[in-house]
């Protein structure tokens, strides 16, 4: 049975003729490691900020935000939605590693805008088990940013909820647009 929940086939040009995409990544890592020098930093982000963003491959967060290695914690998932696992990561980031600020970044043209919770039901029909997680699909990206800001601000596990800001990244212009939490 093939549903919209099925994984699409990768384009042939994404796979090297000498192996898999993973083989290509491992080869790239070997080249990276050959020139690598220990930057001499620990896991505490220099800017004391955690960025929560969508996993979309079009978002180059470090370039878009002018960040360098070690500046922030980056937490990514489908939609950049604040889920229980994001709260878990933010809690560790704040309580164990000293972050104080949270930046939330959704984006235009997000794939979650075209999904519904029916995705879970289709998966259940296909594999015989319903996922424990919610899809967290949305129709209004600005409203979803507001909801994500609210989830961070009201979490009892987070120590620092006064500097939480949300944005929508425009994938066509590269610009961030701040969302009013009200």
């Amino acid at each position: 049975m093939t549903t919209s929940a099925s994984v699409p086939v990768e384009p042939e040009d994404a796979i090297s003729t000498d192996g898999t995409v993973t083989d290509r990544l491992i080869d790239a890592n070997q080249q990276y490691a050959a020139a690598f020098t220990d930057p001499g930093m620990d896991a505490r982000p220099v800017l004391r900020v955690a960025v929560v963003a969508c996993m979309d491959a079009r978002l180059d967060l470090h370039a878009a935000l002018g960040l360098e290695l070690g500046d922030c914690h980056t937490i990514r998932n489908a939609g950049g939605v604040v889920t229980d696992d994001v709260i878990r990561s933010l809690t560790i980031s704040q309580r164990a590693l000293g972050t104080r600020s949270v930046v939330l970044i959704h984006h235009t043209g997000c794939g979650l805008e075209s999904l519904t919770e029916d995705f879970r039901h289709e998966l259940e029909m296909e594999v015989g088990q319903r996922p424990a997680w919610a899809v967290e699909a949305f129709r209004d990206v600005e409203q979803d940013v507001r909801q994500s800001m609210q989830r961070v601000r009201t979490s009892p596990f987070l120590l620092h909820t006064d500097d939480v800001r949300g944005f929508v990244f425009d994938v066509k212009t590269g610009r961030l647009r701040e969302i009013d939490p009200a």
Side-chain angles (χ1 to χ4, degrees):
M1 171 187 215
T2 302
T3 68
S4 61
S6 297
V7 177
V9 177
E10 294 179 4
E12 288 185 32
D13 61 352
I15 300 174
S16 164
T17 57
D18 298 331
T20 67
V21 171
T22 304
D23 292 333
R24 190 175 81 209
L25 299 176
I26 297 304
D27 290 344
N29 174 257
Q30 290 173 353
Q31 293 174 16
Y32 172 79
F36 184 80
T37 56
D38 180 356
M41 57 181 71
D42 66 16
R44 295 176 184 272
V46 173
L47 299 179
R48 296 169 56 153
V49 62
V51 177
V52 178
C54 184
M55 65 186 190
D56 192 294
R58 297 171 290 180
L59 277 65
D60 182 349
L61 293 174
H62 276 74
L65 301 174
L67 296 168
E68 300 292 330
L69 180 68
D71 281 349
C72 73
H73 283 158
T74 306
I75 304 161
R76 295 181 80 154
N77 69 13
V81 177
V82 175
T83 60
D84 286 346
D85 195 57
V86 168
I87 294 295
R88 171 189 162 271
S89 293
L90 287 172
T91 301
I92 293 166
S93 178
Q94 287 187 358
R95 290 179 176 266
L97 298 165
T99 60
R100 300 268 188 257
S101 301
V102 179
V103 173
L104 306 172
I105 301 178
H106 286 35
H107 65 91
T108 58
C110 185
L112 281 187
E113 292 175 300
S114 63
L115 291 177
T116 67
E117 287 300 316
D118 288 341
F119 184 82
R120 290 177 68 226
H121 302 296
E122 292 170 3
L123 277 172
E124 180 180 15
M125 296 303 293
E126 186 176 318
V127 303
Q129 180 179 341
R130 180 178 288 190
W133 40 263
V135 175
E136 296 277 353
F138 52 86
R139 295 279 180 249
D140 182 337
V141 67
E142 291 184 14
Q143 181 55 34
D144 202 67
V145 171
R146 285 185 196 94
Q147 177 176 300
S148 290
M149 284 190 280
Q150 186 64 17
R151 286 179 177 174
V152 170
R153 288 186 173 136
T154 60
S155 173
F157 305 110
L158 299 175
L159 296 172
H160 308 286
T161 59
D162 54 327
D163 188 12
V164 178
R165 294 172 66 184
F167 301 85
V168 174
F169 177 86
D170 187 314
V171 297
K172 302 241 186 255
T173 67
R175 293 193 183 275
L176 288 175
R177 179 172 35 90
E178 188 159 9
I179 303 303
D180 184 350

